[in-house]
Amino acid sequence: MEIGDWAVLLTAATAAGWVDAVVGGGGLIILPMLFLVAPGIAPQTALGTNKLAAVAGTSASVATFARKVPMRWRVLLPAAVIAAVTAGIGAAAVSLIDRDLFIPIVMVVLVGVAVFVTMRPSIGMTLATHPPTRRKVVLTVALAAGLIGFYDGLLGPGTGTFLIITFATLLGTEFVRAAAMAKVINCGSNIGALIFFGVTGHILWVLGATMAVGNVLGAVVGSHMALRKGAEFVRIVLLVVVVGMVIRLGWQQFG
């Protein structure tokens, strides 16, 4: 690749880190750019290289959020391990499943998310008046980590978004805290998928490490903006990103 190609990918990685930190969905920025700049790259290699950058970005987001947002580490850390395991399984299943079957399903779910957030403007804006029990928190976080972690390894688009919506809806968590929780679990799922792709030789290490620099920068800026601007900002960005993901997936599937 030429210097211009590296610059394009570094810029894309920075933008993806910002989007991922706020609401998730950064993979839909990096992956198309990888295929555009390196059209001969294998899909597994593109996914693995993206995961290297994403691990760095989500780790930076976790560190940034953790300074300002109370974290239930005794719940989130085991959930991150669950997400790592299921994401590794999902990554291993990539070659066994027709991914085209999943894209329309994901599009329908994303449209549902957009409609739900639009029709229920109070969701994610404040903490629930009656906090959920510890048992409900543990079960919700563990199930979300397992199911969405598997999805992250298998397909990926919108993993952080689905986690945020799950926590805001089922636990009554406001968007900023939900985003912080999502980053911990997303970091775990990224690590699980990264390990699988690394063991199977599907990572371009130099390129991934370069993109990781931009991803970290974008993640830190995005995390600080989410913390500073609050839940309404996250809600607006979430809606914009969800609509963008639907359009992008629709173009990929039917364009």
Side-chain angles (χ1 to χ4, degrees):
M1 293 189 299
E2 299 179 356
I3 294 178
D5 296 329
W6 286 84
V8 167
L9 289 175
L10 186 60
T11 302
T14 304
W18 188 92
V19 170
D20 248 344
V22 181
V23 293
L28 284 176
I29 297 175
I30 292 184
L31 289 173
M33 285 298 176
L34 276 171
F35 288 119
L36 179 65
V37 172
I41 191 172
Q44 291 92 334
T45 304
L47 288 169
T49 304
N50 171 55
K51 286 302 179 187
L52 179 57
V55 164
T58 49
S59 298
S61 292
V62 170
T64 303
F65 277 122
R67 296 190 186 100
K68 300 291 184 179
V69 179
M71 296 283 207
R72 295 193 179 193
W73 293 112
R74 291 184 179 181
V75 175
L76 291 173
L77 291 180
V81 174
I82 293 173
V85 173
T86 56
I89 296 172
V94 166
S95 61
L96 304 177
I97 297 177
D98 184 359
R99 290 156 65 87
D100 289 340
L101 295 177
F102 282 83
I103 293 178
I105 296 174
V106 173
M107 289 175 62
V108 171
V109 173
L110 287 171
V111 170
V113 167
V115 171
F116 180 77
V117 174
T118 301
M119 299 299 293
R120 296 285 298 277
S122 61
I123 290 293
M125 300 306 295
T126 58
L127 288 172
T129 305
H130 302 289
T133 63
R134 177 176 175 78
R135 180 181 180 183
K136 183 177 181 179
V137 171
V138 171
L139 288 176
T140 301
V141 173
L143 284 173
L147 296 175
I148 301 176
F150 177 81
Y151 165 79
D152 190 23
L154 182 68
L155 194 62
T159 295
T161 307
F162 292 143
L163 287 168
I164 290 172
I165 289 297
T166 297
F167 298 148
T169 304
L170 299 183
L171 300 180
T173 308
E174 56 93 16
F175 279 137
V176 174
R177 185 171 297 186
M181 295 169 62
K183 286 302 102 184
V184 177
I185 294 174
N186 199 182
C187 186
S189 65
N190 283 335
I191 290 173
L194 178 68
I195 290 173
F196 174 82
F197 288 125
V199 169
T200 55
H202 288 296
I203 298 176
L204 300 177
W205 292 98
V206 175
L207 178 58
T210 302
M211 292 194 302
V213 174
N215 207 257
V216 168
L217 176 61
V220 171
V221 173
S223 300
H224 279 297
M225 287 186 69
L227 288 167
R228 186 172 67 253
K229 293 182 177 294
E232 178 61 28
F233 170 74
V234 176
R235 178 177 181 273
I236 292 172
V237 175
L238 185 148
L239 286 170
V240 171
V241 170
V242 166
V243 171
M245 284 193 287
V246 171
I247 294 172
R248 175 68 185 87
L249 289 171
W251 180 264
Q252 177 181 335
Q253 180 74 5
F254 307 112

